[in-house]
Amino acid sequence: MRKIWKKAVHARWFPAAVLCIAVAVYSGISGNSSPVTNAAGTVLLPAQRAVTHMAVKVADTYNKYFRYDELVAENESLKQQVTELTSQLEDAQAAVSENADLRAMLGVAERNTEFTYAGAEVVGRTLDEWSRVLTIDAGSADGLEKNDCVVTAQGMVGYISELSDHSAKVTAIIDSNMSAAARLVRTGEIAVAEGDYQLMADGKLKISYLNKDADVVVGDTVQTSGSGGLFPKGLAIGTVESIQTESDGMTNYAVLTPLVDITTLTHVYIITDVTVD
């Protein structure tokens, strides 16, 4: 027994153990912290911090390895919800835009009762160096014909240049192959609206064959004249941006900004029939 006691006395932990027991007894009797208690707390603080850090690390490791599948599933679910909400928002925005187009087009139809319209959606665009062409999701099976005029509530888009059963190509008014008889609304001046290779890149077209002394000013509105019978009369084309002199010096031409931006179109209307009184 004496040998065992001797070993305990010389053990490294014995002084610390005695101190902790004494501190605990004193605190329990008095109900107050002793200086020794405070000192012991200061000494043990680093160990307490280490234990806390270790506990947090163990918890993180547990969550990482034991809740990983649960967190992955939750993340995928949230991604799916975001995708669905984004799709719903896009559909709602498209519906609002389409509704606004329909209301505007209804006003145009009421003012132009001689026209019969068919609607279509723009499903493709060819905006390369050589052409400006739209693809729409309606064709001959929907009552469309080649050379039908394509419009929006704002004005003329172009004409149907190619046709299949359920789709069509629309050559835009700024395409270099486009040409239409036109007139200036303010003065009645007759001219030709046509695409120009150089202006096409800037989304513009020109009014050609203006007399040298023609009364044309910036801001004038240009419409189709109906001459030639290809396009109905009174379709808005654009406004005059500037007046230039042709290379021969004999006539002028006007640079025209179209009223319709074909790069942002989503819906168009095709004039399928014109009733002449």
Side-chain angles (χ1 to χ4, degrees):
M1 176 65 74
R2 183 175 299 176
K3 290 181 179 180
I4 296 173
W5 172 254
K6 187 175 182 180
K7 289 181 180 179
V9 170
H10 291 287
R12 293 181 178 180
W13 51 264
F14 181 75
V18 172
L19 176 61
C20 290
I21 293 171
V23 169
V25 170
Y26 173 81
S27 300
I29 295 174
S30 64
N32 298 320
S33 298
S34 68
V36 177
T37 303
N38 295 333
T42 302
V43 172
L44 297 175
L45 182 59
Q48 185 180 15
R49 289 176 177 171
V51 171
T52 302
H53 177 72
M54 181 63 68
V56 171
K57 190 172 182 179
V58 169
D60 289 343
T61 303
Y62 174 84
N63 288 333
K64 179 178 179 181
Y65 290 101
F66 293 93
R67 295 189 61 223
Y68 178 78
D69 292 340
E70 178 184 345
L71 293 174
V72 169
E74 182 180 358
N75 188 44
E76 290 300 322
S77 177
L78 291 173
K79 286 182 178 179
Q80 182 64 29
Q81 292 180 38
V82 169
T83 300
E84 292 175 355
L85 290 173
T86 300
S87 178
Q88 292 175 14
L89 177 60
E90 290 174 349
D91 290 343
Q93 290 174 334
V96 169
S97 177
E98 183 177 2
N99 191 36
D101 288 343
L102 288 171
R103 287 200 304 269
M105 199 62 205
L106 178 61
V108 173
E110 290 175 346
R111 294 192 302 270
N112 298 277
T113 56
E114 70 274 20
F115 297 156
T116 300
Y117 298 98
E121 184 175 345
V122 176
V123 294
R125 307 175 205 274
T126 302
L127 308 176
D128 57 27
E129 183 180 0
W130 308 104
S131 61
R132 294 293 185 270
V133 177
L134 304 178
T135 303
I136 59 176
D137 64 350
S140 58
D142 304 289
L144 307 189
E145 295 180 358
K146 196 171 181 180
N147 294 325
D148 278 350
C149 194
V150 181
V151 299
T152 68
Q154 288 70 44
M156 186 174 175
V157 175
Y159 69 97
I160 294 179
S161 52
E162 295 182 30
L163 194 65
S164 61
D165 289 344
H166 299 288
S167 67
K169 299 291 186 182
V170 179
T171 296
I173 56 174
I174 61 173
D175 190 281
S176 57
N177 293 316
M178 170 69 184
S179 179
R183 62 184 289 272
L184 278 74
V185 175
R186 183 177 61 85
T187 64
E189 182 81 22
I190 300 299
V192 175
E194 58 183 356
D196 179 84
Y197 177 74
Q198 293 181 331
L199 294 174
M200 182 176 67
D202 297 325
K204 305 181 190 305
L205 67 158
K206 66 190 295 188
I207 298 296
S208 302
Y209 307 111
L210 291 171
N211 294 326
K212 188 75 172 178
D213 57 350
D215 181 14
V216 183
V217 296
V218 173
D220 274 347
T221 301
V222 177
Q223 296 180 344
T224 54
S225 68
S227 177
L230 184 59
F231 303 120
K233 179 181 178 181
L235 300 178
I237 298 175
T239 57
V240 174
E241 178 184 287
S242 64
I243 297 93
Q244 309 289 335
T245 301
E246 294 282 7
S247 57
D248 60 10
M250 302 297 294
T251 57
N252 290 340
Y253 71 93
V255 176
L256 202 66
T257 301
L259 295 176
V260 178
D261 181 2
I262 65 169
T263 63
T264 60
L265 281 182
T266 57
H267 294 84
V268 295
Y269 300 88
I270 303 93
I271 300 176
T272 60
D273 192 24
V274 179
T275 301
V276 179
D277 293 336

